[in-house]
Amino acid sequence: METWIFNDVIAFFVSLAVSGILIPQILLIAFRKRLFDNVDERKIHKGVVPRLGGIAFFPSILFSFALIVGFNLKYFGWETAGIYFDVVVPFYFMICAVLLMFLVGIADDLLGVRYMAKFGVQILASILIVFSGVYITNYEGLFWIYKVPDWIGWISTAFIVVYVVNSINLIDGIDGLASGLSTVAFIFYAIIFYFAGQYSYSLLAAAAAGTLLPFFYYNVFGNAKKQKKIFMGDTGALTTGMILVFLSIAVLHIEDAPAIEDYNVLILAVSPLVIPCFDVVRVYFHRLVRHRNPFLPDKSHIHHKLLALGLNQRVALSIIMLWSMLFIVINLLLSPYINPTLLILADIVLWTLVNIILTKAITVREKKTGLRLFD
């Protein structure tokens, strides 16, 4: 176990270093080739900013993960290294699924891809995750349901994969939000898998967390005028979302782990994803009520509400990240005592109440200013 603490730390810093080296090079190439994010009425940022930061994500994660696993296999062997056949197979399929997201993301960031085409690729990637064997087999008490037939698990998994991937992509609306929420989730999953004895999954989560930190720095604190600011683009959001959903479903397969046996694994799996997943549902129905295409972007996300109240991006980012951590902590503490259906319902009620309060506060501010502040 002590060896894998060291491995996780090394993976974190190796991926951090690789990502920290790649992102400045991506910035240099983007400015030389004039590969910038288009500014329109929906965008918050001003000036020219490349949106190719996500290109650094998959190579950094894969390099770090493969390096640490390879070193352990060479010097300690399969079992001592904590790598088993039932883990190797899912990882191969996961890599294929993430690679699909990586490639379609690059195509979208450079040329533009229709949302239906991206949706089709996401479905294909979700099928690969199902083939990996990491699919939902137990609802863990959700709707008071436990074991489910395989075919229900396959359909549920495919839906969840597409849902989470799009949630991460759609929450990427202000500096640092998608990467910040994802980093919190990856660190949480790394800890859970470590205590569950699933060291290879913990290693993947640690490598992903390390990869996102350099990007977070350039995205939040970078100066666009000095050509030091970058966005993750669809490449980063889709890649990050696919790894997150793979890890979240893998949490549902944790068994015989004394350190976390008191906690419901469904709650452990979904808690870090509450805000992006809840927000995409609210936005979807918000658009339908206003007779808009639910798949086309607008300015109706939770971060747009906070900005409409006059908060700047960094304050809004801090509030949403703290809110995400609060959901994780509360769910974790209550998980041993409350049915997951009731706990998730309580999360939904809390989410709804906060959104109602924000909407009323925006309405008051609009009356005072005479301006339309929220879409």
Side-chain angles (χ1 to χ4, degrees):
M1 179 177 285
E2 291 78 7
T3 299
W4 278 94
I5 293 179
F6 179 75
N7 285 334
D8 280 3
V9 172
I10 294 298
F12 177 88
F13 282 105
V14 168
S15 59
L16 185 149
V18 175
S19 179
I21 292 170
L22 289 178
I23 289 177
Q25 305 309 312
I26 293 170
L27 274 167
L28 181 63
I29 294 170
F31 276 98
R32 284 185 177 179
K33 299 297 181 180
R34 304 189 63 79
L35 304 172
F36 305 128
D37 188 35
N38 295 324
V39 179
D40 55 37
E41 69 280 357
R42 186 179 60 87
K43 300 296 176 63
I44 297 171
H45 72 277
K46 307 297 181 183
V48 292
V49 180
R51 60 171 183 170
L52 300 174
I55 291 177
F57 291 4
F58 188 43
S60 301
I61 295 170
L62 189 59
F63 178 86
S64 176
F65 180 81
L67 179 67
I68 302 302
V69 170
F71 184 88
N72 278 272
L73 291 178
K74 180 176 176 62
Y75 292 102
F76 300 107
W78 289 80
E79 292 190 4
T80 306
I83 308 297
Y84 304 96
F85 181 76
D86 59 346
V87 173
V88 172
V89 172
F91 271 82
Y92 278 125
F93 280 98
M94 179 274 297
I95 289 171
C96 292
V98 175
L99 185 58
L100 284 178
M101 295 293 95
F102 183 72
L103 293 175
V104 76
I106 291 176
D108 191 38
D109 289 335
L110 292 177
L111 303 173
V113 177
R114 292 184 177 181
Y115 68 85
M116 289 305 296
K118 286 193 289 185
F119 185 68
V121 177
Q122 290 168 9
I123 292 176
L124 178 58
S126 72
I127 293 172
L128 289 173
I129 297 298
V130 171
F131 267 98
S132 77
V134 179
Y135 61 85
I136 298 168
T137 59
N138 192 322
Y139 281 9
E140 302 294 344
L142 181 65
F143 309 124
W144 289 272
I145 299 172
Y146 290 87
K147 292 288 290 185
V148 295
D150 283 346
W151 67 271
I152 293 180
W154 298 337
I155 295 172
S156 300
T157 300
F159 173 79
I160 292 298
V161 168
V162 174
Y163 174 44
V164 172
V165 167
N166 280 287
S167 297
I168 299 300
N169 194 18
L170 292 173
I171 202 71
D172 184 28
I174 59 174
D175 294 344
L177 185 54
S179 57
L181 292 175
S182 298
T183 300
V184 170
F186 281 131
I187 292 173
F188 178 76
Y189 288 142
I191 294 170
I192 294 300
F193 282 120
Y194 174 78
F195 282 108
Q198 298 285 337
Y199 301 125
S200 52
Y201 289 112
S202 180
L203 185 70
L204 175 64
T211 294
L212 289 178
L213 278 186
F215 168 80
F216 183 86
Y217 172 79
Y218 280 96
N219 183 226
V220 176
F221 302 104
N223 190 326
K225 294 180 180 179
K226 296 181 179 180
Q227 301 184 354
K228 296 295 183 181
K229 190 176 187 67
I230 196 167
F231 299 145
M232 67 165 60
D234 272 29
T235 309
L238 296 177
T239 300
T240 301
M242 183 57 67
I243 297 175
L244 274 175
V245 72
F246 174 76
L247 289 172
S248 68
I249 297 173
V251 170
L252 299 177
H253 287 254
I254 294 176
E255 297 178 352
D256 302 323
I260 62 170
E261 65 182 358
D262 292 334
Y263 302 98
N264 185 291
V265 292
L266 175 69
I267 298 302
L268 296 180
V270 305
S271 292
L273 306 176
V274 162
I275 285 184
C277 289
F278 282 9
D279 189 58
V280 74
V281 172
R282 185 193 60 79
V283 168
Y284 181 86
F285 286 108
H286 178 89
R287 292 170 182 171
L288 287 180
V289 168
R290 284 158 178 75
H291 306 291
R292 299 172 183 168
N293 188 328
F295 299 104
L296 293 181
D298 59 16
K299 299 178 71 173
S300 58
H301 289 276
I302 184 64
H303 47 273
H304 293 124
K305 283 191 172 186
L306 294 175
L307 296 177
L309 289 174
L311 304 177
N312 63 45
Q313 289 194 52
R314 292 184 185 178
V315 173
L317 168 65
S318 300
I319 290 173
I320 296 173
M321 287 189 63
L322 287 173
W323 195 2
S324 178
M325 295 176 192
L326 184 64
F327 270 122
I328 293 173
V329 172
I330 291 176
N331 287 345
L332 193 65
L333 293 176
L334 296 180
S335 170
Y337 310 106
I338 300 179
N339 178 274
T341 304
L342 298 177
L343 191 50
I344 292 175
L345 182 61
D347 289 342
I348 294 172
V349 171
L350 177 60
W351 172 261
T352 303
L353 287 175
V354 170
N355 273 278
I356 290 173
I357 292 170
L358 290 177
T359 300
K360 289 184 176 181
I362 292 170
T363 301
V364 171
R365 191 164 188 262
E366 286 179 336
K367 290 180 178 178
K368 289 181 178 179
T369 61
L371 299 174
R372 181 70 174 172
L373 301 173
F374 182 69
D375 190 5

